[in-house]
Amino acid sequence: MKAQALEDHLAENPVDDDYKPLRTYFPDEEINSIEELVSDDSRVWKMYFDGDVNIRGVGIGAILISPIRKHYPSMARLYFFCTNNTSEYEACIMGLKTTLDLDVQKLLVMGDFDLLIRQAQNEWETRDIKLIPYRQHVQDLSKRFKSIEFRYIPRFHNELVDALATLASMFPYPGNTYIDPLEIQVRNQHGYCNTIEIEPDGEPWYHDIQQFLKTREYPENAKGDQKRTIRRLASGFFLNGEILYKRTANLNLLRCIDATEAERIMSEVHSGVCRPHMNGYGLAKKILRAGYYWLTMERDCFRFVR
């Protein structure tokens, strides 16, 4: 229907006589493939640094990234007077020394402190008497690398190191403190109990609720808190023969379906006869209006659309 509407519109509105056709020739259309040449830049390490001065104290942080994307974070709290400028230099020096301890030869230093980057590149002069020894020390450390480059980056590209520096500045007690390596997890589902995996035991997700409503018996090896959860969940369902329904706030009943039926219904509603191709939230709402329900339907709809 959409294609027919476009055809009718074009037929009723012909183009003018001065119409010029599009150029369909592309300069590089004869190129069949492109080979990527691996240069020596693949062996370059990257270093991010940042300093933080706040009411809690002074903290510095640095992160080294190897060519294989392995991260080496380091941070420290400074118990001597530092300004914003000197804290940035302290963070850079700490990162450079850590890099030299790892016997790195090629390094790309990136930070959001424009003053330090420009002074390290010899583009700006150093007139502050407090920064002159810092700049000289950075230059001495830079000579120990086979190649080193300083590059300025915006602050939003340096947020991870900024977080480390802020964390270091918040430690209220002196002394060296060792913290296990930080692990950042990526989770694509909610943490509450309703986000269950798809029927690993072969039974539908509502099997325990259905059996409780039918026989008032709990699953084997169920503990006290698990029994309370089943009773609480069962109060929101209605059993009619062998078919389980979910009660809604407006007293409607939604038929509970298993994983196989859910996959078929998502495919039909999303790209079936009418082919609306809505987003995940709209797909879940439309399935609810059609009268079907399962616990993880919103998450599954988002995954299906993606």
Side-chain angles (χ1 to χ4, degrees):
M1 294 173 62
K2 295 178 181 179
Q4 186 62 46
L6 291 175
E7 292 174 0
D8 295 341
H9 175 75
L10 295 176
E12 296 174 0
N13 299 274
V15 297
D16 300 332
D17 296 336
D18 57 350
Y19 170 75
K20 296 181 180 180
L22 296 175
R23 296 182 179 180
T24 58
Y25 172 75
F26 296 93
D28 299 329
E29 65 179 352
E30 70 277 1
I31 298 178
N32 188 26
S33 63
I34 299 177
E35 295 182 0
E36 181 180 359
L37 299 178
V38 180
S39 61
D40 293 338
D41 294 340
S42 60
R43 295 195 296 269
V44 176
W45 286 58
K46 296 180 181 179
M47 188 193 86
Y48 297 83
F49 69 93
D50 195 15
D52 183 72
V53 180
N54 54 46
I55 193 173
R56 303 289 298 274
V58 181
I60 57 176
I63 293 181
L64 305 179
I65 304 178
S66 67
I68 59 175
R69 304 296 299 172
K70 189 174 182 180
H71 291 59
Y72 298 88
S74 60
M75 57 183 179
R77 175 166 180 157
L78 306 183
Y79 282 93
F80 52 86
F81 176 76
C82 267
T83 62
N84 288 327
N85 296 344
T86 55
S87 65
E88 295 283 350
Y89 266 103
E90 288 285 349
C92 181
I93 291 173
M94 181 184 66
L96 292 177
K97 289 183 178 180
T98 305
T99 308
L100 290 172
D101 293 339
L102 296 176
D103 197 21
V104 176
Q105 298 297 324
K106 297 182 179 181
L107 181 65
L108 174 60
V109 182
M110 290 178 285
D112 57 7
F113 187 54
D114 198 25
L115 177 64
L116 188 153
I117 299 297
R118 301 301 181 185
Q119 290 178 353
Q121 294 173 344
N122 296 321
E123 296 181 1
W124 292 359
E125 296 182 359
T126 306
R127 298 182 179 181
D128 191 346
I129 191 172
K130 297 187 297 295
L131 299 183
I132 292 178
Y134 278 110
R135 179 184 180 184
Q136 184 61 43
H137 192 52
V138 170
Q139 290 178 347
D140 295 339
L141 294 175
S142 300
K143 295 177 182 179
R144 298 171 60 180
F145 292 92
K146 185 176 179 179
S147 66
I148 186 172
E149 179 185 354
F150 291 84
R151 184 180 301 174
Y152 172 78
I153 59 175
R155 186 175 183 83
F156 62 86
H157 287 163
N158 209 31
E159 292 180 345
L160 181 56
V161 188
D162 181 60
L164 289 179
T166 304
L167 179 63
S169 67
M170 295 175 63
F171 284 135
Y173 47 85
N176 294 329
T177 303
Y178 177 77
I179 299 179
D180 288 334
L182 299 176
E183 179 182 357
I184 302 177
Q185 300 179 357
V186 178
R187 297 185 177 181
N188 56 5
Q189 62 184 16
H190 302 284
Y192 52 81
C193 61
N194 280 358
T195 55
I196 59 175
E197 295 297 329
I198 298 179
E199 305 158 8
D201 56 354
E203 298 290 347
W205 60 269
Y206 54 83
H207 175 72
D208 293 338
I209 299 175
Q210 186 180 34
Q211 291 299 116
F212 178 78
L213 293 175
K214 182 185 298 185
T215 63
R216 312 301 290 183
E217 295 180 355
Y218 298 101
E220 297 181 1
N221 302 323
K223 300 180 180 178
D225 55 344
Q226 296 173 341
K227 294 180 180 180
R228 287 193 300 270
T229 302
I230 292 178
R231 290 197 303 269
R232 179 176 56 84
L233 291 176
S235 62
F237 291 85
F238 170 74
L239 183 64
N240 183 15
E242 294 296 329
I243 302 177
L244 186 67
Y245 294 91
K246 168 68 176 175
R247 303 176 190 267
T248 63
N250 53 4
L251 302 181
N252 289 335
L253 296 178
L254 303 176
R255 180 176 178 177
C256 299
I257 58 177
D258 57 15
T260 304
E261 292 177 310
E263 189 72 21
R264 179 171 53 84
I265 290 175
M266 285 189 296
S267 177
E268 177 64 27
V269 175
H270 183 262
S271 56
V273 178
C274 297
R275 299 182 180 272
H277 295 286
M278 72 283 288
N279 57 23
Y281 183 79
L283 178 61
K285 292 299 182 182
K286 192 163 186 177
I287 294 176
L288 285 175
R289 289 195 298 269
Y292 300 99
Y293 175 80
W294 68 97
L295 280 178
T296 59
M297 62 184 311
E298 192 166 299
R299 183 196 66 181
D300 295 339
C301 287
F302 275 98
R303 286 183 177 180
F304 180 85
V305 171
R306 190 178 297 115

